Amino acid sequence: MIAQGLYDPSNEHDACGVGFIAHIKGNKSHSIIEQGLLILKNLDHRGAVGADALMGDGAGVLIQIPDQYFRDEMAKQGVELPPPGEYGVGMVFLPKENASRIACEQEIERAVRIEGQVVLGWRNVPVDETMPMSPTVRAKEPVIRQIFIGRGPDIMVTDALERKLYVIRKSSGHAIQALKLNHGKEFFVPSMSARTIVYKGLLLADQVGVYYKDLQDPRCVSALALVHQRFSTNTFPEWPLSHPYRLIAHNGEINTVKGNFNWMRAREGVMKSAVLGEDLQKLFPLIYEGQSDTACFDNALELLIMSGYPIAQAMMMMIPEAWENHTMMDDNRKAFYEYYASMMEPWDGPAAMAFTDGRHIGGTLDRNGLRPARYIVTDDDLVVMASESGVLPIPESKIIQKWRLQPGKMFLIDLEAGRIIDDKELKDTYANAKPYKAWINSVRIKLGELKLHESQLAHNRGKDAQGEKAGASVLDRQQAFGYTQEDLKFLLAPMALLGEEATGSMGNDSPLAVTSNKLKPLYNYFKQLFAQVTNPPIDPIREAMVMSLVSFIGPKPNLLDTNNVNPPMRLEVSQPVLGFNDMARLRGISQHTGGKFKSYELNICYPISWGNEGVEASLASLCAEAVDAVKSGHNILIISDRNVSAAQVAIPALLATSAIHQHLVQRGLRAS
């Protein structure tokens, strides 16, 4: 999605209806799909409908591949499908414009051949063209086709084929993006898998089963059906934005998506995978700019699974429960979360997340628990989970278990083992699988525990070797950095005296920085991103149970090192605001850690005589200096404006930090 007029896709938020039904023993039937579609209909009130009653925000269903049905249908074209698990099916949205559609199909086929797999054939997905549909939706309706891909001679197991299909989908998508076709944005692959397939679109909840004729055929069977009805605020509905995605569907939103996206992009330069090998580079960029929060999450989760993480462990890493101040939590489980905290930042909701890889299906709730998820188990081995109760008319006499997901909790149905795995067993299994506690103790250094010499403290407080004050006075520094009497009196003084932010009347009638005729600090041009849904305000003091200020400084571990062969040292700080002592420790970090960490200071001040052009020239020089520092073995960069004086002006730290960060990301060095 791209910005149009006053619309900005970065402001999209959603709160939807999600649910699934599964047979615990993995028995496939058409009734599972029918009941899944009934859940979807009963979640209709959770979806959005515009002034046009036939236009909603989208709906869909994810099921297992109905092998016999596809086998019969492809036989009509003279195509004999290989045994189940030895072929994959790609569900593809294609442009209506003929030339663009052919170009997209050719790129997919080319990617299949490059990866050594076999194009078995294409199939036009039968849809009900007579179904009443909004003119707006009809105008956006893609051509929907399925591509059948057989395994090549070097692929022996379904997991390997699944990885190849992943590479084919990503690499062909990148190639089609690079073609810059006029109708290229209409191309989208809802799913490409040897196990699952997604039927979705810009449809109402009760239209999905009518529009897609495949879902009406009794031969179309599955042991699970994951459904979703979308309600998105501040968004333009589109066919690709409907859920489910390839692995997930959720009720809520990911509020940390901007930071999550940036860190995933930053660590691309240091990722290595023993499982994906050279194919890893074909996947980048992993997430495109401007994708929805769900698409970003789905792409990140998919990478973890394709790199060898079990889906439940990957979900534990991405949506951890509140662990740091949980006094009752098992030490091994706490160590698991602590170990992965430096490898993967939390993807925080509020969100109730349903997920499946075709062999397992489950649900989890983020640590705040602000989105509902309820489930029941019946005496005939069915599990139903949804964002609310009563989505299926099941007699109370048949229900043997009824409960809800609690904050941070997860449950999983293993269809191959034929059983439900509860939160405790699931998390204990992964927490006890490896010696996380011993690993943490061997690689963790806490910044606040490092000892300091008095000479380091004196230098860090702005004194030279003789103990004389260095640099400008406090008042001069305040003026240089744009402080006003109002800032000191109404903002800083209450915090210093009372340890809390000052309270005042609602509203701020001062002009926005961009419209003001006064000189404003660069920081005034930016505002904190926040959710536009009904989330209660929280802070790390009052909500210490579910919030943490712990940060990690230095190189990022390789996220895809599933065997944890040689994790780097981790430098931990208890909160992001560092005082004089902590900065002194960082400057002398090499001698404190035996050279495991090496810091380098970048001076962001330049001579005032350079004039306005000095900023651009200095930034270019700083970026080059940062690259040289990282390549020479320094893994901590200190960006300092402490040399500001009457002759030296400081680049705003926000601008300098951003420029250096972006430059290192582009060079693949940010997480080094």
Side-chain angles (χ1 to χ4, degrees):
M1 292 296 295
I2 58 174
Q4 300 177 41
L6 295 177
Y7 163 75
D8 184 343
S10 66
N11 292 326
E12 293 182 2
H13 302 282
D14 52 72
C16 321
V18 64
F20 69 73
I21 181 170
H23 194 283
I24 298 172
K25 305 299 183 187
N27 295 342
K28 298 182 180 182
S29 67
H30 184 61
S31 68
I32 291 285
I33 296 174
E34 290 178 323
Q35 290 179 89
L37 293 173
L38 181 56
I39 293 173
L40 189 56
K41 289 180 184 178
N42 289 334
L43 289 171
D44 181 66
H45 60 283
R46 304 283 301 192
V49 177
D52 182 343
L54 289 175
M55 183 173 179
D57 275 356
V61 59
L62 181 155
I63 61 174
Q64 292 174 319
I65 287 178
D67 173 70
Q68 190 58 51
Y69 175 61
F70 284 156
R71 191 171 298 280
D72 295 345
E73 290 299 304
M74 291 305 288
K76 295 176 183 177
Q77 300 183 30
V79 176
E80 182 180 349
L81 293 180
E86 295 187 17
Y87 72 94
V89 185
M91 190 80 163
V92 189
F93 290 169
L94 293 160
K96 284 182 177 176
E97 195 272 317
N98 192 53
S100 296
R101 181 171 71 253
I102 292 172
C104 292
E105 291 174 355
Q106 288 177 342
E107 284 297 340
I108 295 176
E109 292 186 11
R110 184 177 293 116
V112 173
R113 291 192 295 271
I114 289 172
E115 296 304 323
Q117 309 310 301
V118 182
V119 177
L120 299 173
W122 288 85
R123 172 177 179 258
N124 294 323
V125 177
V127 298
D128 187 346
E129 296 178 354
T130 64
M131 184 188 77
M133 186 180 283
S134 165
T136 307
V137 175
R138 184 74 73 185
K140 296 180 178 182
E141 180 186 18
V143 172
I144 306 173
R145 304 192 75 197
Q146 291 165 344
I147 181 171
F148 289 77
I149 301 169
R151 68 176 177 89
D154 58 333
I155 299 298
M156 303 302 172
V157 295
T158 307
D159 282 347
L161 175 59
E162 198 77 356
R163 285 191 292 272
K164 275 299 175 188
L165 294 171
Y166 174 50
V167 174
I168 289 166
R169 195 193 85 237
K170 296 292 285 186
S171 59
S172 61
H174 297 333
I176 290 166
Q177 286 269 351
L179 291 176
K180 297 188 182 336
L181 300 170
N182 286 338
H183 299 274
K185 295 292 183 184
E186 298 170 33
F187 168 81
F188 184 75
V189 182
S191 65
M192 186 175 284
S193 169
R195 296 191 174 103
T196 60
I197 187 165
V198 174
Y199 288 87
K200 70 176 186 177
L202 195 53
L203 304 165
L204 300 174
D206 58 357
Q207 289 181 330
V208 176
V210 177
Y211 182 75
Y212 287 110
K213 294 183 178 181
D214 286 353
L215 300 175
Q216 303 165 20
D217 197 294
R219 294 169 297 168
C220 190
V221 297
S222 174
L224 61 87
L226 171 61
V227 299
H228 188 274
Q229 166 67 57
R230 190 165 186 253
F231 187 113
S232 182
T233 56
N234 311 324
T235 179
F236 290 151
E238 298 289 346
W239 282 75
L241 292 178
S242 307
H243 296 210
Y245 278 78
R246 297 160 193 114
L247 295 164
I248 63 162
H250 72 74
N251 165 31
E253 63 181 357
I254 305 298
N255 275 331
T256 57
V257 65
K258 189 70 174 177
N260 297 135
F261 167 83
N262 287 337
W263 279 119
M264 288 301 294
R265 179 65 59 87
R267 60 168 62 94
E268 286 179 2
V270 297
M271 281 185 187
K272 292 180 182 176
S273 170
V275 177
L276 289 168
E278 295 180 1
D279 284 342
L280 180 63
Q281 295 304 315
K282 302 172 187 176
L283 308 177
F284 300 144
L286 187 70
I287 305 171
Y288 286 117
E289 191 84 45
Q291 284 191 300
S292 70
D293 59 344
T294 318
C296 294
F297 187 101
D298 191 72
N299 275 295
L301 177 63
E302 193 174 32
L303 178 68
L304 295 180
I305 293 171
M306 295 301 174
S307 301
Y309 289 105
I311 190 168
Q313 182 180 349
M315 291 297 293
M316 287 170 66
M317 291 164 59
M318 293 184 70
I319 308 182
E321 58 185 314
W323 59 269
E324 189 177 357
N325 297 307
H326 196 315
T327 55
M328 306 288 287
M329 184 179 286
D330 174 74
D331 286 347
N332 289 339
R333 193 192 298 191
K334 190 175 285 192
F336 171 92
Y337 286 123
E338 187 173 0
Y339 182 80
Y340 284 109
S342 66
M343 296 182 71
M344 169 63 77
E345 55 288 333
W347 293 65
D348 274 333
M353 194 78 66
F355 56 89
T356 182
D357 60 3
R359 295 176 297 176
H360 310 85
I361 187 166
T364 190
L365 211 58
D366 73 285
R367 67 179 95 179
N368 292 297
L370 299 176
R371 289 291 181 272
R374 303 179 182 277
Y375 65 90
I376 60 170
V377 182
T378 69
D379 58 8
D380 53 354
D381 291 324
L382 291 180
V383 177
V384 180
M385 192 197 88
S387 46
E388 57 204 83
S389 299
V391 290
L392 279 183
I394 296 176
E396 201 71 28
S397 60
K398 293 182 67 64
I399 298 173
I400 59 176
Q401 185 183 357
K402 182 189 295 186
W403 193 227
R404 62 182 174 85
L405 277 180
Q406 295 170 291
K409 301 301 182 184
M410 179 187 299
F411 89 118
L412 187 78
I413 300 108
D414 187 331
L415 300 177
E416 293 180 342
R419 69 190 191 95
I420 297 176
I421 307 174
D422 65 19
D423 182 80
K424 185 179 188 309
E425 180 187 351
L426 194 62
K427 291 176 178 175
D428 285 351
T429 298
Y430 293 114
N432 297 327
K434 293 176 181 176
Y436 292 111
K437 203 169 183 179
W439 287 351
I440 290 171
N441 291 334
S442 64
V443 300
R444 178 177 60 190
I445 298 170
K446 291 189 175 181
L447 186 67
E449 295 177 359
L450 299 178
K451 294 183 179 179
L452 284 173
H453 301 298
E454 187 59 36
S455 59
Q456 291 177 305
L457 289 172
H459 172 72
N460 206 65
R461 288 185 177 124
K463 296 181 180 180
D464 58 24
Q466 287 72 42
E468 297 295 323
K469 278 280 185 181
S473 68
V474 172
L475 180 59
D476 288 338
R477 288 174 185 269
Q478 288 173 338
Q479 291 176 327
F481 290 104
Y483 281 81
T484 65
Q485 294 287 348
E486 188 179 57
D487 293 332
L488 297 177
K489 182 177 180 181
F490 295 110
L491 299 179
L492 294 178
M495 286 195 286
L497 293 172
L498 304 174
E500 60 184 34
E501 290 189 56
T503 56
S505 61
M506 291 290 288
N508 182 352
D509 59 359
S510 59
L512 294 173
V514 72
T515 62
S516 175
N517 58 7
K518 305 290 185 182
L519 291 176
K520 300 276 188 177
L522 184 67
Y523 304 92
N524 288 20
Y525 288 83
F526 301 91
K527 298 294 181 184
Q528 183 180 3
L529 289 174
F530 67 97
Q532 293 183 344
V533 291
T534 54
N535 300 337
I538 56 178
D539 66 62
I541 297 174
R542 294 166 183 82
E543 302 289 341
M545 179 58 74
V546 294
M547 290 192 72
S548 172
L549 292 178
V550 171
S551 303
F552 300 96
I553 298 176
K556 295 281 185 184
N558 177 18
L559 177 62
L560 307 185
D561 181 13
T562 54
N563 295 317
N564 313 96
V565 177
N566 188 28
M569 298 299 292
R570 48 196 274 171
L571 185 60
E572 188 177 303
V573 294
S574 60
Q575 48 110 7
V577 180
L578 304 181
F580 288 122
N581 291 1
D582 286 335
M583 289 306 301
R585 291 183 178 99
L586 277 182
R587 285 186 166 87
I589 195 69
S590 179
Q591 65 190 68
H592 290 302
T593 62
K596 294 183 179 70
F597 289 98
K598 292 174 66 179
S599 65
Y600 184 90
E601 189 163 325
L602 294 165
N603 175 24
I604 62 172
C605 298
Y606 64 92
I608 197 168
S609 59
W610 288 9
N612 295 338
E613 290 76 15
V615 174
E616 185 177 2
S618 297
L619 285 175
S621 176
L622 281 167
C623 290
E625 189 179 355
V627 169
D628 292 342
V630 174
K631 287 185 174 180
S632 63
H634 296 89
N635 47 23
I636 295 176
L637 299 181
I638 299 172
I639 297 172
S640 175
D641 54 17
R642 300 195 69 195
N643 290 332
V644 67
S645 66
Q648 294 278 322
V649 63
I651 299 171
L654 180 66
L655 177 61
T657 305
S658 175
I660 294 167
H661 165 78
Q662 298 292 346
H663 188 72
L664 291 176
V665 168
Q666 291 169 6
R667 297 293 296 270
L669 299 171
R670 178 60 181 88
S672 299

